[in-house]
C-alpha cells in the first residue's frame, strides 16, 4: 500500500469533522463505523504511514517555533482516550509534546474561573499540547451533576438558566483567541456505544492486569448514559467552529479510532505548510567550513 495522498486522508476524516454544529445529531454517527477501511491490518498499515508523516511534521513544528497545536480528547469512560493518545503520539519527539490529564478540580482550581486550570497548561509555540479531558468537563460532568456548580462559589446572581449557553460562548471565544494567536485547535470526541463500553468494563474486571482501570463510580456514571449523550450533542452543536472543529470519531473499533485521529492531526499540520527554519549566510558558511574540516583526513 502506498502512502495515502492528502485527498485520501481528507476523504477519510471528512464524515467525522464538524465545523458547524447547528444541525449536528449524535445519532448520525455510528460508533461501529470503520469507513472504507476493510480490516485492522489495512488500518495499521495506513497508521504506520500517518505516524511517520506526523513525526516529520512535529519536527518542523518544533524547529520553527511559531505555530502550536492543542489536541483535546473527550469521551465516555472506556472509549479509548488513553490508548489513542499513546498510539498516535508514539513516534513524536517527547521534547515537543506535553500531555495533561484533568481530573476533578482542586481547591485551587475552584478558586478561579472554569478555564483557568487548562489555560495555564496551553502549549508553547512549537509544541503539541494534549488535553485528556479539558475545560469541556464544565459543560459535561458539571452539567449532568449540576450540584457541582455549588462548589465553584460563583455569585448566585450569575448562575442563571443561561449558564450553559454562556459557557459555550466563553469556550468559543477562548478557542478563537487561541486560533488567532497561532494555536491549531483540534477536538476529538471518541464516540463509543453503550454495548461496547459494557464489554470493555467487563474486560477490566475479568483481567487482573486491567483491574486498576475500573472504579465503582464508572457504573454510577453509566446509569446517566442518556444525560451524557445529550450533553455531548449539545456541546458539539454549540462549540464546533471552523477555527476549532470537533471530530466525532467512531470508537468501537480502536484501530479505526486511532487512524482517524492521526489523519486529522496530519491533515491540520500539513495545512500549515511547515518548513524548517533557514540558515542565515553566516550560519551557512560556518556549516560548510565545518563539513570541509571534518572531511580532511587528519580531522
Amino acid at each position: 500500500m502506498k502512502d495515502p495522498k492528502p485527498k485520501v486522508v481528507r476523504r477519510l476524516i471528512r464524515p467525522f469533522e464538524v465545523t458547524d454544529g447547528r444541525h449536528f445529531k449524535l445519532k448520525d454517527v455510528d460508533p461501529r463505523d470503520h469507513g472504507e477501511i476493510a480490516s485492522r491490518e489495512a488500518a495499521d498499515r495506513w497508521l504506520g504511514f500517518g505516524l511517520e508523516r506526523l513525526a516529520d511534521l512535529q519536527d518542523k513544528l518544533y524547529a520553527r517555533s511559531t505555530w502550536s497545536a492543542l489536541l483535546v480528547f473527550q469521551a465516555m469512560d472506556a472509549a479509548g482516550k488513553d490508548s489513542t493518545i499513546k498510539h498516535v503520539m508514539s513516534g513524536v519527539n517527547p521534547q515537543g509534546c506535553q500531555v495533561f490529564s484533568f481530573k476533578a478540580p482542586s481547591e485551587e482550581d475552584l478558586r478561579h474561573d472554569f478555564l483557568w486550570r487548562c489555560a495555564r497548561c496551553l502549549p508553547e509555540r512549537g509544541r503539541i499540547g494534549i488535553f485528556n479531558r479539558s475545560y469541556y468537563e464544565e459543560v459535561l460532568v458539571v452539567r449532568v451533576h449540576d450540584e457541582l456548580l455549588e462548589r465553584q462559589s460563583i455569585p448566585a446572581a450569575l448562575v442563571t438558566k443561561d449558564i450553559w449557553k454562556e459557557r459555550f460562548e466563553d469556550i468559543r471565544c477562548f478557542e478563537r483567541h487561541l486560533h488567532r494567536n497561532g494555536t491549531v485547535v483540534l477536538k476529538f470526541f471518541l464516540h463509543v456505544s453503550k454495548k461496547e463500553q459494557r464489554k470493555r468494563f467487563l474486560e477490566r474486571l475479568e483481567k487482573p492486569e486491567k483491574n486498576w482501570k475500573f472504579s465503582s463510580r464508572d457504573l454510577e456514571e453509566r446509569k446517566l448514559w442518556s444525560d451524557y449523550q445529550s450533553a455531548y450533542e449539545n456541546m458539539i452543536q454549540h462549540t464546533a467552529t471552523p477555527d476549532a472543529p470537533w471530530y466525532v470519531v467512531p470508537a468501537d473499533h480502536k484501530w479505526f479510532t486511532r487512524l482517524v485521529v492521526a489523519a486529522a492531526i496530519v491533515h491540520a499540520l500539513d495545512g500549515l505548510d511547515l518548513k524548517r527554519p533557514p540558515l542565515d549566510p553566516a550560519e551557512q558558511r560556518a556549516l560548510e567550513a565545518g563539513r570541509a574540516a571534518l572531511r580532511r583526513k587528519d580531522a
Side-chain angles (χ1 to χ4, degrees), residues 3-14 36 46 263:
D3 188 351
K5 302 299 181 185
K7 65 179 181 180
V8 177
V9 173
R10 183 72 185 128
R11 190 170 75 238
L12 172 67
I13 63 176
R14 185 181 291 117
E36 301 175 9
W46 277 45

Side-chain angles (χ1 to χ4, degrees), residues 40 47 51 82-91 258:
R40 177 172 186 159
L47 183 60
L51 298 189
D82 292 352
S83 64
T84 297
I85 293 169
K86 175 182 176 181
H87 281 79
V88 172
M89 308 309 292
S90 61
R258 295 162 186 167

Side-chain angles (χ1 to χ4, degrees), residues 3 70 126 131 138 163 184 194 281:
D3 188 351
L70 175 63
F131 285 178
E138 297 293 332
I163 189 168
V184 175
K194 193 174 184 181

Side-chain angles (χ1 to χ4, degrees), residues 17-64:
E17 182 183 58
V18 186
T19 59
D20 181 348
R22 286 176 293 180
H23 304 293
F24 173 76
K25 297 293 182 184
L26 196 54
K27 65 179 178 61
D28 293 337
V29 181
D30 184 353
R32 300 165 299 174
D33 191 5
H34 51 78
E36 301 175 9
I37 309 302
S39 66
R40 177 172 186 159
E41 291 71 27
D44 286 346
R45 289 194 294 272
W46 277 45
L47 183 60
F49 290 123
L51 298 189
E52 288 179 11
R53 181 65 180 146
L54 177 56
D56 179 63
L57 288 166
Q58 187 244 351
D59 185 60
K60 293 175 181 176
L61 182 81
Y62 186 63
R64 194 76 186 192

Side-chain angles (χ1 to χ4, degrees), residues 140 143-144 223-233:
L140 294 168
R143 188 171 188 178
V144 172
K223 293 176 183 177
L224 300 170
W225 183 273
S226 295
D227 293 336
Y228 272 109
Q229 297 302 292
S230 295
Y232 272 112
E233 180 176 271

